[in-house]
Amino acid sequence: MSLAALVTGCRQPDPVVPVPEVNITEGVAAPEQLEFYVSATQADEIAFICVETMDEVKVYKAEALFEEGEVFAATEEPVLHTVTGLKQGTEYTIYAAAVKDEGTAKYYSGVKELSMTTGVVPKILEFVDASKTGFSYKVNAEEGQMFYH
C-alpha cells in the first residue's frame, strides 16, 4: 500500500506597501503671493515647489521635488502655505508630492499639481497731463466707489 504525502510550503505574505497620497487645494490669490493648502495620508514628509507656468512644461518627479522644493512634515489635516515675491497677474503651477520612509525603502506618491494666478492691483489713478504749474489725473472708479482728495 502506498501512502501519498502532500507537502506544502508556508510562504510569508508580501508586506503591505504604504502608498502615500498628497492633496493640494487652492487658497487665496493676492497680487504678489499665493496661498494653498497641502496634506497627505500615509506619509512622513511632503514637498512642494511653485514655478511660473510656461509654454514648455517641466515634468517634475516626486524625488526631484524633495531635492529642489520646500520639505515639511506631513499631516492629514490641510496646512496653509504661502509663497511670496511673485509677479502680479501671472499664472503659477504648484507641484506637490509625499513620501513614506520605511528605513530600507522610500515610497513616493504621485505628483499633484495646482494652477493659480496672482491678482492684479487695480490702477486707480491715471496720469493725464502736466504743466509748469500743475498736473491732471483721472480717477478710474467703479460704480459706487468714492474717493476723496
Side-chain angles (χ1 to χ4, degrees):
M1 179 170 175
S2 93
L3 217 43
L6 181 62
V7 178
T8 60
C10 291
R11 183 175 160 211
Q12 294 292 336
D14 291 335
V16 176
V17 176
V19 181
E21 186 174 328
V22 67
N23 296 300
I24 182 168
T25 55
E26 190 170 332
V28 176
E32 295 178 354
Q33 71 180 31
L34 296 174
E35 293 180 348
F36 52 93
Y37 296 88
V38 184
S39 62
T41 56
Q42 298 189 45
D44 296 316
E45 292 181 320
I46 299 172
F48 75 84
I49 193 166
C50 179
V51 295
E52 188 174 336
T53 304
M54 301 289 191
D55 291 335
E56 266 186 50
V57 177
K58 178 179 178 180
V59 177
Y60 282 94
K61 293 188 177 187
E63 295 89 343
L65 291 178
F66 283 89
E67 293 172 11
E68 300 175 32
E70 184 175 329
V71 180
F72 58 96
T75 64
E76 289 190 16
E77 293 297 316
V79 175
L80 177 66
H81 290 276
T82 303
V83 178
T84 60
L86 305 176
K87 294 188 260 181
Q88 292 185 32
T90 303
E91 183 179 356
Y92 289 87
T93 304
I94 301 133
Y95 298 92
V99 66
K100 177 71 174 174
D101 189 344
E102 290 290 311
T104 58
K106 289 186 177 184
Y107 301 97
Y108 292 92
S109 70
V111 175
K112 294 265 179 93
E113 60 184 75
L114 172 68
S115 292
M116 293 180 72
T117 302
T118 53
V120 177
V121 175
K123 190 173 183 180
I124 296 171
L125 292 180
E126 186 176 331
F127 174 76
V128 176
D129 191 23
S131 68
K132 288 184 177 182
T133 58
F135 66 93
S136 59
Y137 60 92
K138 174 181 160 188
V139 177
N140 298 315
E142 293 183 21
E143 185 72 34
Q145 285 184 316
M146 295 178 64
F147 297 94
Y148 300 95
H149 60 100

